[in-house]
Coordinates of all heavy atoms in Angstrom, one line a residue:
M1116 N 140.4 100.0 92.6 CA 139.3 100.1 93.5 C 138.2 101.0 92.9 O 138.5 102.1 92.5 CB 139.7 100.6 94.9 CG 138.6 100.6 95.9 SD 139.1 101.3 97.6 CE 140.7 100.7 97.8
T1117 N 137.0 100.5 92.8 CA 135.9 101.3 92.3 C 135.3 102.2 93.4 O 135.6 102.0 94.6 CB 134.8 100.4 91.7 OG1 134.2 99.7 92.8 CG2 135.3 99.4 90.7
D1118 N 134.5 103.2 93.0 CA 133.8 104.0 94.0 C 133.0 103.2 94.9 O 132.9 103.6 96.1 CB 132.9 105.1 93.3 CG 133.8 106.2 92.6 OD1 135.0 106.3 92.9 OD2 133.2 106.9 91.7
A1119 N 132.4 102.2 94.4 CA 131.5 101.3 95.3 C 132.4 100.6 96.4 O 131.9 100.4 97.5 CB 130.8 100.3 94.5
D1120 N 133.6 100.4 96.1 CA 134.5 99.7 97.0 C 135.2 100.7 98.0 O 135.9 100.3 98.9 CB 135.6 98.9 96.3 CG 135.0 97.7 95.5 OD1 133.9 97.2 95.9 OD2 135.6 97.4 94.5
A1121 N 135.1 102.0 97.7 CA 135.8 103.0 98.4 C 135.3 103.2 99.8 O 136.1 103.6 100.7 CB 135.8 104.3 97.7
V1122 N 134.1 102.8 100.1 CA 133.5 103.0 101.4 C 132.8 101.7 101.9 O 132.1 101.1 101.2 CB 132.4 104.2 101.4 CG1 131.7 104.3 102.7 CG2 133.1 105.5 101.0
L1123 N 133.2 101.3 103.1 CA 132.5 100.2 103.8 C 131.4 100.8 104.6 O 131.7 101.6 105.5 CB 133.5 99.4 104.6 CG 134.7 98.9 103.9 CD1 135.7 98.3 104.9 CD2 134.3 97.8 102.9
D1124 N 130.2 100.5 104.4 CA 129.0 101.2 105.0 C 128.2 100.2 105.8 O 128.1 99.0 105.4 CB 128.2 101.9 103.9 CG 127.3 103.0 104.5 OD1 127.4 103.2 105.7 OD2 126.6 103.5 103.7
G1125 N 127.5 100.6 106.8 CA 126.6 99.8 107.6 C 127.2 98.8 108.5 O 126.7 97.8 108.9
I1126 N 128.5 99.1 108.9 CA 129.2 98.2 109.8 C 128.7 98.4 111.2 O 128.5 99.5 111.7 CB 130.7 98.6 109.8 CG1 131.2 98.3 108.4 CG2 131.5 97.7 110.8 CD1 132.6 98.8 108.2
E1127 N 128.4 97.3 111.9 CA 127.9 97.3 113.3 C 129.0 97.6 114.2 O 130.2 97.2 114.0 CB 127.2 96.0 113.7 CG 126.0 95.7 112.8 CD 125.4 94.4 113.2 OE1 126.0 93.6 113.9 OE2 124.3 94.1 112.7
V1128 N 128.7 98.3 115.3 CA 129.7 98.7 116.3 C 129.4 97.9 117.6 O 128.3 98.0 118.1 CB 129.7 100.2 116.6 CG1 130.7 100.6 117.6 CG2 129.9 101.0 115.3
W1129 N 130.4 97.1 118.0 CA 130.2 96.3 119.2 C 131.2 96.7 120.3 O 132.4 97.0 120.0 CB 130.5 94.8 118.8 CG 129.4 94.3 117.9 CD1 129.2 94.6 116.6 CD2 128.3 93.5 118.3 NE1 128.1 93.9 116.1 CE2 127.5 93.3 117.1 CE3 127.9 92.9 119.5 CZ2 126.4 92.5 117.1 CZ3 126.8 92.1 119.5 CH2 126.0 91.9 118.3
A1130 N 130.8 96.6 121.5 CA 131.7 96.9 122.7 C 132.3 95.5 123.1 O 131.6 94.6 123.5 CB 130.9 97.5 123.8
M1131 N 133.6 95.5 123.0 CA 134.3 94.3 123.4 C 133.8 93.0 122.7 O 133.9 91.9 123.3 CB 134.3 94.1 125.0 CG 135.0 95.3 125.7 SD 135.0 95.1 127.5 CE 136.1 93.7 127.6
G1132 N 133.3 93.2 121.6 CA 132.8 92.0 120.8 C 131.6 91.3 121.3 O 131.2 90.3 120.8
T1133 N 130.9 91.8 122.4 CA 129.8 91.1 122.9 C 128.5 91.9 123.0 O 127.5 91.3 123.0 CB 130.2 90.7 124.4 OG1 130.5 91.8 125.2 CG2 131.3 89.7 124.4
M1134 N 128.6 93.2 123.1 CA 127.4 94.0 123.2 C 127.4 95.1 122.1 O 128.3 95.9 122.0 CB 127.3 94.7 124.6 CG 127.2 93.7 125.7 SD 127.0 94.5 127.3 CE 128.5 95.5 127.4
R1135 N 126.3 95.2 121.4 CA 126.1 96.2 120.3 C 126.0 97.5 121.0 O 125.3 97.7 122.0 CB 124.9 95.9 119.5 CG 124.8 96.8 118.3 CD 124.1 96.1 117.2 NE 124.1 97.0 116.1 CZ 123.3 96.9 115.1 NH1 122.4 96.0 115.1 NH2 123.4 97.7 114.1
V1136 N 126.7 98.5 120.4 CA 126.6 99.9 120.9 C 125.4 100.6 120.4 O 125.1 100.5 119.2 CB 127.9 100.7 120.5 CG1 127.8 102.1 120.9 CG2 129.1 100.0 121.0
E1137 N 124.6 101.2 121.3 CA 123.4 101.9 120.9 C 123.3 103.3 121.5 O 124.0 103.5 122.6 CB 122.1 101.1 121.4 CG 122.0 99.8 120.8 CD 120.7 99.1 121.4 OE1 120.5 99.2 122.6 OE2 120.1 98.4 120.6
L1138 N 122.6 104.2 120.9 CA 122.3 105.5 121.5 C 120.9 105.3 122.1 O 120.1 104.6 121.6 CB 122.2 106.6 120.4 CG 123.5 106.8 119.6 CD1 123.2 107.9 118.6 CD2 124.6 107.2 120.5
A1139 N 120.8 106.0 123.3 CA 119.5 105.8 124.0 C 119.1 107.1 124.7 O 120.0 108.0 124.9 CB 119.6 104.7 125.0
D1140 N 117.8 107.2 125.0 CA 117.4 108.4 125.7 C 117.5 108.3 127.2 O 117.2 109.2 127.9 CB 115.9 108.7 125.3 CG 114.9 107.7 125.9 OD1 115.4 106.6 126.3 OD2 113.7 108.1 125.9
G1141 N 118.0 107.2 127.7 CA 118.2 107.0 129.1 C 119.5 106.3 129.4 O 120.2 106.0 128.5
K1142 N 119.8 106.1 130.7 CA 121.1 105.5 131.0 C 121.0 104.0 131.2 O 122.0 103.4 131.4 CB 121.5 106.2 132.3 CG 121.8 107.6 132.2 CD 122.3 108.2 133.5 CE 122.5 109.7 133.4 NZ 122.9 110.3 134.7
T1143 N 119.9 103.4 131.1 CA 119.7 102.0 131.4 C 119.5 101.2 130.1 O 119.1 101.8 129.1 CB 118.6 101.7 132.4 OG1 117.4 102.0 131.7 CG2 118.8 102.5 133.6
V1144 N 119.6 99.9 130.2 CA 119.3 99.1 129.1 C 117.8 99.2 128.7 O 117.4 98.9 127.6 CB 119.7 97.6 129.4 CG1 119.3 96.6 128.3 CG2 121.2 97.5 129.7
N1145 N 117.0 99.5 129.7 CA 115.5 99.6 129.5 C 115.1 101.0 128.9 O 113.9 101.2 128.9 CB 114.8 99.3 130.8 CG 115.1 98.0 131.3 OD1 115.3 97.0 130.5 ND2 115.1 97.8 132.6
A1146 N 116.0 101.8 128.4 CA 115.6 103.1 127.9 C 114.6 102.9 126.8 O 114.7 102.0 126.0 CB 116.8 103.8 127.3
G1147 N 113.6 103.8 126.7 CA 112.5 103.6 125.8 C 112.9 103.9 124.4 O 112.3 103.3 123.4
K1148 N 113.8 104.7 124.1 CA 114.2 105.1 122.8 C 115.6 104.7 122.6 O 116.5 105.3 123.2 CB 114.0 106.6 122.5 CG 112.6 107.1 122.7 CD 112.5 108.6 122.5 CE 111.1 109.1 122.7 NZ 111.0 110.5 122.5
R1149 N 115.9 103.7 121.7 CA 117.2 103.2 121.5 C 117.4 103.0 120.0 O 116.5 102.7 119.3 CB 117.5 101.9 122.2 CG 117.4 102.0 123.7 CD 117.6 100.8 124.4 NE 117.9 99.6 123.7 CZ 117.9 98.4 124.2 NH1 117.6 98.2 125.5 NH2 118.3 97.4 123.5
A1150 N 118.7 103.3 119.5 CA 119.0 103.1 118.1 C 120.4 102.5 118.0 O 121.3 103.0 118.7 CB 118.9 104.4 117.4
P1151 N 120.6 101.5 117.2 CA 122.0 101.0 117.0 C 122.9 102.0 116.3 O 122.5 102.7 115.4 CB 121.8 99.8 116.1 CG 120.4 99.7 115.7 CD 119.6 100.8 116.4
L1152 N 124.1 102.1 116.8 CA 125.1 102.9 116.2 C 125.8 102.1 115.1 O 126.3 101.0 115.3 CB 126.1 103.4 117.3 CG 127.2 104.4 117.0 CD1 126.5 105.7 116.6 CD2 128.1 104.6 118.1
L1153 N 126.0 102.7 114.0 CA 126.6 102.1 112.8 C 127.9 102.9 112.4 O 128.1 104.0 112.9 CB 125.7 102.0 111.6 CG 124.4 101.2 111.9 CD1 123.5 101.4 110.7 CD2 124.7 99.8 112.1
A1154 N 128.7 102.3 111.7 CA 130.0 102.9 111.2 C 130.1 102.9 109.7 O 129.6 102.0 109.1 CB 131.2 102.3 111.9
R1155 N 130.8 103.8 109.2 CA 131.2 103.9 107.8 C 132.7 104.2 107.7 O 133.2 105.1 108.4 CB 130.4 105.1 107.1 CG 130.7 105.3 105.7 CD 129.8 106.5 105.2 NE 128.4 106.2 105.2 CZ 127.5 106.9 105.9 NH1 127.9 108.0 106.6 NH2 126.3 106.6 105.9
V1156 N 133.4 103.4 106.9 CA 134.8 103.5 106.9 C 135.3 103.8 105.4 O 134.9 103.1 104.5 CB 135.5 102.2 107.3 CG1 137.0 102.3 107.2 CG2 135.1 101.7 108.7
D1157 N 136.0 104.9 105.3 CA 136.6 105.2 104.0 C 137.9 104.4 103.8 O 138.9 104.6 104.6 CB 136.9 106.7 103.9 CG 137.4 107.2 102.6 OD1 138.2 106.5 102.0 OD2 137.1 108.3 102.2
R1158 N 137.9 103.5 102.9 CA 139.1 102.6 102.7 C 140.3 103.4 102.3 O 141.4 102.9 102.6 CB 138.7 101.5 101.8 CG 137.6 100.6 102.3 CD 137.3 99.6 101.3 NE 138.2 98.5 101.5 CZ 138.1 97.3 100.8 NH1 137.2 97.2 99.9 NH2 138.9 96.4 101.1
A1159 N 140.2 104.5 101.6 CA 141.4 105.2 101.2 C 142.1 105.9 102.3 O 143.3 106.0 102.3 CB 141.0 106.2 100.1
T1160 N 141.3 106.5 103.2 CA 141.9 107.3 104.3 C 141.9 106.6 105.7 O 142.6 107.0 106.6 CB 141.2 108.6 104.4 OG1 139.8 108.4 104.8 CG2 141.2 109.4 103.1
G1161 N 141.0 105.6 105.8 CA 140.8 105.0 107.1 C 139.9 105.8 108.0 O 139.7 105.4 109.2
R1162 N 139.4 106.8 107.5 CA 138.5 107.7 108.3 C 137.2 106.9 108.7 O 136.6 106.3 107.8 CB 138.1 108.9 107.6 CG 137.2 109.9 108.4 CD 136.9 111.1 107.6 NE 136.0 111.9 108.4 CZ 135.4 113.0 108.0 NH1 135.7 113.5 106.8 NH2 134.6 113.7 108.7
V1163 N 136.8 107.0 109.9 CA 135.6 106.3 110.4 C 134.6 107.3 110.8 O 134.9 108.3 111.5 CB 135.9 105.4 111.6 CG1 134.6 104.7 112.2 CG2 136.9 104.3 111.2
E1164 N 133.3 107.2 110.3 CA 132.2 108.0 110.7 C 131.2 107.1 111.4 O 130.9 106.0 111.0 CB 131.5 108.6 109.5 CG 132.4 109.5 108.7 CD 131.7 110.1 107.4 OE1 130.5 109.9 107.3 OE2 132.4 110.6 106.6
L1165 N 130.7 107.6 112.5 CA 129.6 106.9 113.3 C 128.3 107.6 112.9 O 128.2 108.8 112.8 CB 129.9 107.0 114.8 CG 131.2 106.4 115.2 CD1 131.4 106.6 116.7 CD2 131.3 104.9 114.9
Y1166 N 127.2 106.8 112.8 CA 125.9 107.3 112.4 C 124.8 106.4 112.9 O 125.0 105.3 113.2 CB 125.9 107.6 110.9 CG 125.8 106.3 110.0 CD1 124.6 105.8 109.6 CD2 127.0 105.7 109.7 CE1 124.6 104.7 108.9 CE2 127.0 104.5 108.9 CZ 125.8 104.0 108.5 OH 125.7 102.9 107.8
V1167 N 123.6 107.0 112.8 CA 122.4 106.2 113.1 C 121.6 106.2 111.8 O 121.4 107.3 111.2 CB 121.6 106.9 114.2 CG1 120.2 106.2 114.4 CG2 122.4 106.9 115.5
D1168 N 121.1 105.1 111.4 CA 120.4 105.0 110.1 C 118.9 105.6 110.3 O 118.5 106.0 111.4 CB 120.3 103.6 109.5 CG 119.5 102.6 110.4 OD1 118.8 103.0 111.3 OD2 119.6 101.4 110.1
E1169 N 118.2 105.6 109.2 CA 116.9 106.3 109.2 C 115.9 105.6 110.2 O 115.2 106.3 110.9 CB 116.3 106.2 107.8 CG 115.0 107.0 107.6 CD 114.6 107.1 106.2 OE1 115.4 107.3 105.3 OE2 113.3 107.1 106.0
D1170 N 115.9 104.3 110.3 CA 115.1 103.6 111.2 C 115.5 104.0 112.7 O 114.6 104.1 113.5 CB 115.2 102.1 111.1 CG 114.6 101.6 109.8 OD1 113.7 102.3 109.2 OD2 115.0 100.5 109.3
G1171 N 116.7 104.1 112.9 CA 117.2 104.5 114.3 C 116.8 105.9 114.6 O 116.4 106.2 115.7
L1172 N 116.9 106.8 113.6 CA 116.4 108.2 113.9 C 114.9 108.2 114.2 O 114.5 108.9 115.1 CB 116.7 109.0 112.6 CG 118.1 109.4 112.4 CD1 118.2 110.2 111.1 CD2 118.6 110.3 113.5
D1173 N 114.1 107.4 113.5 CA 112.7 107.3 113.8 C 112.5 106.8 115.2 O 111.6 107.4 115.9 CB 112.0 106.4 112.8 CG 111.9 107.0 111.4 OD1 112.1 108.2 111.3 OD2 111.6 106.2 110.5
A1174 N 113.2 105.8 115.6 CA 113.1 105.3 117.0 C 113.4 106.3 118.0 O 112.8 106.4 119.1 CB 114.0 104.0 117.1
L1175 N 114.5 107.1 117.8 CA 114.9 108.1 118.8 C 113.9 109.3 118.9 O 113.9 110.0 119.9 CB 116.3 108.6 118.4 CG 117.4 107.6 118.7 CD1 118.7 108.2 118.1 CD2 117.6 107.3 120.2
T1176 N 113.2 109.6 117.8 CA 112.4 110.8 117.8 C 110.9 110.5 118.0 O 110.1 111.4 118.0 CB 112.6 111.5 116.4 OG1 112.3 110.7 115.4 CG2 114.0 112.0 116.3
R1177 N 110.5 109.3 118.1 CA 109.0 109.0 118.3 C 108.6 109.2 119.7 O 109.3 109.4 120.6 CB 108.6 107.7 117.8 CG 109.3 106.5 118.4 CD 108.7 105.2 117.8 NE 109.8 104.4 117.4 CZ 110.0 103.2 117.8 NH1 109.2 102.6 118.7 NH2 111.0 102.5 117.4

């Protein structure tokens, strides 16, 4: 396995396979600031990290 194959990155996170998981500034679907939650998986250890990409960070902070 090469270093490039060691991490699976940019994986979308879905709730029950039907709704994408997002971070939001409010409790409703209509929250003004929302960003998709993504996952990164280390194939060697199985460790999962959740993160928001740069576009998502911009959406949450504007």
Side-chain angles (χ1 to χ4, degrees):
M1116 183 180 325
T1117 67
D1118 287 342
D1120 296 330
V1122 175
L1123 302 173
D1124 200 4
I1126 298 171
E1127 296 177 350
V1128 180
W1129 292 76
M1131 298 183 65
T1133 59
M1134 296 185 302
R1135 186 150 186 202
V1136 177
E1137 296 180 322
L1138 297 179
D1140 70 343
K1142 295 180 182 178
T1143 67
V1144 174
N1145 298 329
K1148 298 178 182 179
R1149 298 180 3 192
L1152 188 63
L1153 300 172
R1155 177 179 298 120
V1156 180
D1157 183 322
R1158 296 178 85 177
T1160 64
R1162 180 178 178 189
V1163 176
E1164 297 177 11
L1165 301 176
Y1166 68 96
V1167 175
D1168 66 11
E1169 190 172 320
D1170 291 335
L1172 286 175
D1173 289 343
L1175 289 172
T1176 57
R1177 60 179 127 121

